[in-house]
Amino acid sequence: MTLFDSPSFANHEGVHAFFDEKTGLKAIIAIHSTARGPAVGGTRMWNYDSSAEALEDVLRLSRGMSYKNAVADLEMGGGKSVIIGDSRTEKTPELFAAFGRAVDTLGGIYYAAEDVGVSVEDIAAARAVTPWVLGLNDGPEASGDPSPVTAEGVYRSTLAVARRLWNQDDLTGLSVALQGIGHVGGYLADKLYAAGAKLVMTDVNTALLEEVAARTGAEIVAPDAIYDVKADIYAPCALGATLNPQTLDRLTVKAVVGAANNQLATPEIGEELFARGILYAPDYVINGGGIINVASELRARQAGTAYDPAWVETKLSRLMETLEEILERSVSERRPTHEIAAAIAEARINAASDLKAAQRRAA
Ligand code: NAD
């Protein structure tokens, strides 16, 4: 299959590959859509087995960013970048400066930020050579670590689901099987615990797991056992594609509400969850708090103002209203939640594209 026939490439505005001989940088930047504004999405550094695998990943992720940014009603399009390499052994400031030069060649149609394997310090190294990066730690507009805001959105989504399924305003008596207690999962665990939930958790980082479990009174299970936990809610906060044909038959929960990106291995899994009566809170809707926080930095920079937590709160509250709309429509239209979320995102992206096309014709 060629790039142009790949279903993941469909509707991408551009894909850019970069190689820097001096630092060994191999990077791909995918721009899915700039209809709603500059494409914004993180940079992932991963030891991909092949450039084909990296390409597939960046294409899937960049489309996801278009949908996430549109659903959160941000004036941003979707894009993503990947650096091929081992983030534990191959990172240097020079590598990220070379990456920054790559981003700079795109002239601001794409903004990079942190993602898996890439830290605030790495982004700061890229910032030295290009203004087109976000998620910094210093300066009045800096938005810092997005994880607490992501966790807050997932927490409020859990409350929304509890209201709907169990008719209660807190989580007293409900059990949550939590997979991954890293940046987002750790904050989420504290919030769920404070709201009365009983937690069962896992992580491959056992030292961190014991620490979080001790402060939240959680029961610990082995990584693979999390799918068999008899809980009310499954909260995936580690990897993508954990909702797949192998795990589906093991889950006995009534709802899936977690932060991980790309939770559904395929869209058919979303249909199957719906058929089984398991409420799936769409991942890119409920984990949008982090990108809202990043967007606040772009907004402040463009306006020459400072980071504004009130703006972040307004956007997050609106996102939660969109979630309510999705959950409501799923019941009234008898359609899976992921389909309704996609329809909302696509309508917003298409409306912006149509408007741009009309403006071009009028000019
Ligand atoms: P993180 O790397 O800090 O945490 C992930 C945790 O998962 C780690 O503690 C890791 O040890 C654990 N883990 C890895 N493999 C595991 C396995 N097989 N079983 C159990 N645990 C495992 O990442 P994060 O920033 O907390 O993000 C978590 C998820 O949420 C990711 O999928 C990420 O893409 C998504 N997300 C994060 C943000 C954000 O603001 N950080 C925003 C949107 C989406």
Side-chain angles (χ1 to χ4, degrees):
M1 193 188 295
T2 70
L3 173 61
F4 295 107
D5 305 322
S6 159
S8 306
F9 178 74
N11 296 327
H12 267 77
E13 289 179 12
V15 180
H16 309 261
F18 298 90
F19 174 62
D20 178 66
E21 198 170 7
K22 210 161 149 208
T23 59
L25 174 80
K26 284 186 191 157
I28 310 174
I29 301 177
I31 313 285
H32 177 257
S33 170
T34 55
R36 293 177 56 85
V40 180
T43 306
R44 180 166 292 193
M45 183 164 183
W46 195 255
N47 217 356
Y48 295 100
D49 287 336
S50 66
S51 53
E53 194 193 318
L55 177 62
E56 181 64 21
D57 203 32
V58 77
L59 290 174
R60 273 172 51 100
L61 290 164
S62 65
R63 178 192 308 279
M65 287 313 301
S66 285
Y67 282 51
K68 188 186 294 201
N69 292 341
V71 156
D73 202 15
L74 301 171
E75 290 177 5
M76 305 188 319
K80 197 90 181 182
S81 46
V82 294
I83 296 175
I84 300 171
D86 189 331
S87 65
R88 288 164 305 179
T89 56
E90 294 177 48
K91 267 193 198 177
T92 59
E94 292 75 28
L95 183 85
F96 278 89
F99 176 69
R101 286 194 293 278
V103 171
D104 202 59
T105 63
L106 299 177
I109 59 167
Y110 169 69
Y111 282 82
E114 299 86 359
D115 193 61
V116 177
V118 174
S119 67
V120 176
E121 291 71 35
D122 303 327
I123 290 298
R127 176 72 176 92
V129 293
T130 183
W132 318 119
V133 292
L134 295 166
L136 298 161
N137 251 349
D138 55 336
E141 73 277 10
S143 59
D145 180 9
S147 307
V149 191
T150 304
E152 177 64 21
V154 176
Y155 167 62
R156 290 190 200 177
S157 304
T158 312
L159 290 179
V161 166
R163 262 193 303 276
R164 204 160 269 274
L165 293 189
W166 294 283
N167 199 22
Q168 60 184 70
D169 286 328
D170 66 6
L171 304 175
T172 306
L174 295 177
S175 51
V176 181
L178 180 55
Q179 180 188 50
I181 41 78
H183 286 101
V184 180
Y187 287 114
L188 181 63
D190 291 332
K191 288 171 188 284
L192 297 175
Y193 172 66
K198 182 180 166 303
L199 300 177
V200 182
M201 57 176 62
T202 194
D203 199 291
V204 289
N205 182 338
T206 44
L208 186 64
L209 181 61
E210 277 164 22
E211 185 192 314
V212 178
R215 70 169 190 255
T216 57
E219 181 190 333
I220 290 175
V221 294
D224 187 56
I226 198 74
Y227 307 107
D228 304 314
V229 171
K230 303 273 175 275
D232 297 302
I233 298 170
Y234 167 49
C237 294
L239 316 164
T242 64
L243 299 168
N244 57 51
Q246 287 71 45
T247 59
L248 211 54
D249 283 338
R250 296 168 62 185
L251 289 174
T252 52
V253 295
K254 286 272 168 260
V256 178
V257 193
N261 279 314
N262 295 334
Q263 291 170 27
L264 301 174
T266 62
E268 290 72 37
I269 298 289
E271 288 161 32
E272 192 53 37
L273 287 169
F274 182 70
R276 294 180 185 208
I278 300 174
L279 194 163
Y280 169 63
D283 48 12
Y284 63 81
V285 180
I286 70 167
N287 72 16
I291 196 68
I292 289 174
N293 203 54
V294 170
S296 71
E297 183 172 322
L298 176 60
R299 182 178 171 271
R301 198 190 292 177
Q302 286 167 337
T305 53
Y307 173 75
D308 180 0
W311 183 85
V312 172
E313 174 52 37
T314 303
K315 282 287 180 191
L316 189 61
S317 301
R318 277 202 214 133
L319 185 59
M320 292 301 111
E321 286 167 17
T322 304
L323 174 67
E324 292 286 359
E325 180 194 333
I326 292 166
L327 300 182
E328 193 59 50
R329 281 179 56 186
S330 173
V331 174
S332 64
E333 297 174 20
R334 294 188 189 159
R335 282 169 73 200
T337 50
H338 74 286
E339 278 186 23
I340 295 168
I344 291 173
E346 284 162 11
R348 290 181 182 178
I349 296 166
N350 292 341
S353 285
D354 292 347
L355 184 66
K356 267 193 157 179
Q359 284 166 343
R360 266 198 304 273
R361 279 196 300 274

